[in-house]
Amino acid sequence: MELRHLRYFVAVAEELHFGRAAARLAIMQPSLSQQIQQLEEELGFPLFRRTKRSVELTDAGSVFLDAARQVLIQVQEAKQAAQRAHRGEAGRLVIGYISSSTYDVLPLMLHLFRERFPQVEVALRELTTHEQLRALEEGAIQIGLIRLPINAPWVSVQVVRREPIVCVLPEQHLLAAYERIPGALLAQEPFVLQSRQQGSGYHVYLMKLCLGYGFTPNVVQEVTQMHAIVGMVAACIGVSLVPLSTQNIRSQGVVYRELEGEAPITEMGVAWRSDAHSRLIQNFLSVAREATPDLH
């Protein structure tokens, strides 16, 4: 039994006329009659009572009609669901993100993505950049919002934010009096930084930045998240260098100051496996480009 047999049967059952059903199906009437006969032979009972003037469903034919319609509806629904999945309009997208992406970039992207693809289930995982790279490699997430730079040649990256690095320090600190702090004046300060293991290439970038100012930072505390850094600075444990967007963290007792000279820049990117070809991923990347037009 094939799907065409069910379609042919339903057409005849609804028309109760082989000629009209054949015209509706755009096939020859003898061919339609032959297909219905084959179906009846396979089932082992007649579906129609035929006379020269009328065609009627048998009791078994009436029962079979309800079931045939349900099968055809389910097949059509399966086809439409598969088509939506093929277009990336349905399915499940797991996104990893660093905490600093929640200040502006991630909410903007999610809002636009949900508007465009309301049938896609989005699952969010707050992870450090290091954790996201591992999750991408293991297939635990499909998209990551990470802090650059990274060293992972198997990952593709689309930059979604560029911003200056600033100094965050206790509001009563002597250097808070500066509008722009000379980097060399930070040489004797205790630092709170994201850990090397969790910060990945970004940690190395900050180390090089400090070396450019002529010192190696005295790191007295390592943490995993930006909000923890701000909290530690507010507690006067040390100072830190953070992306400008970190000032969106509402915390009393800290101030943010630009660094003197050409502002160092940090980047945030959307990352995905280079060998991934999912339409869900491509649709999210398209939304990410639209949400950050100045970078593309």
Side-chain angles (χ1 to χ4, degrees), residues 1-212:
M1 186 185 304
E2 300 179 13
L3 284 177
R4 60 185 172 84
H5 289 122
L6 298 183
R7 288 195 294 268
Y8 292 169
F9 163 69
V10 170
V12 176
E14 291 177 348
E15 299 291 344
L16 292 178
H17 191 282
F18 276 82
R20 290 195 298 269
R24 169 176 156 183
L25 295 166
I27 63 174
M28 301 297 293
Q29 181 175 335
S31 177
L32 175 59
S33 298
Q34 183 181 26
Q35 295 294 325
I36 296 299
Q37 288 174 358
Q38 290 177 358
L39 178 59
E40 290 175 323
E41 290 173 1
E42 183 173 349
L43 292 172
F45 54 80
L47 296 167
F48 298 100
R49 285 188 293 270
R50 305 169 179 83
T51 69
K52 291 183 178 181
R53 295 187 176 182
S54 67
V55 176
E56 296 178 353
L57 281 166
T58 64
D59 291 343
S62 295
V63 172
F64 191 69
L65 176 59
D66 290 338
R69 282 172 169 160
Q70 288 302 313
V71 169
L72 293 176
I73 289 172
Q74 290 173 358
V75 169
Q76 183 63 22
E77 289 176 347
K79 177 183 177 181
Q80 292 172 349
Q83 288 173 336
R84 289 193 297 270
H86 175 69
R87 296 191 298 265
E89 297 172 357
R92 188 169 189 264
L93 185 65
V94 185
I95 300 173
Y97 66 95
I98 53 176
S99 59
S100 56
S101 69
T102 62
Y103 308 149
D104 48 11
V105 172
L106 181 60
L108 181 61
M109 292 178 183
L110 289 178
H111 178 73
L112 188 56
F113 187 79
R114 290 184 185 277
E115 279 190 344
R116 298 286 173 79
F117 307 101
Q119 296 186 47
V120 175
E121 177 191 355
V122 177
L124 300 174
R125 304 282 186 269
E126 183 176 356
L127 303 167
T128 65
T129 293
H130 178 76
E131 291 169 339
Q132 287 186 58
L133 292 177
R134 185 170 65 249
L136 282 170
E137 186 174 19
E138 295 173 351
I141 63 174
Q142 297 148 281
I143 287 285
L145 265 73
I146 62 175
R147 181 67 58 184
L148 300 174
I150 60 170
N151 181 23
W154 50 273
V155 171
S156 296
V157 175
Q158 177 177 300
V159 176
V160 294
R161 184 178 180 89
R162 292 190 180 97
E163 58 184 321
I165 290 176
V166 296
C167 181
V168 57
L169 60 161
E171 62 182 356
Q172 300 302 321
H173 197 286
L174 292 177
L175 293 179
Y178 285 79
E179 183 176 343
R180 295 167 64 86
I181 299 176
L185 293 186
L186 299 173
Q188 304 304 317
E189 298 296 328
F191 271 78
V192 180
L193 291 181
Q194 195 171 36
S195 69
R196 179 184 299 271
Q197 291 76 16
Q198 302 300 326
S200 188
Y202 178 64
H203 180 96
V204 175
Y205 177 72
L206 291 183
M207 291 293 116
K208 291 181 178 178
L209 177 62
C210 291
L211 287 174

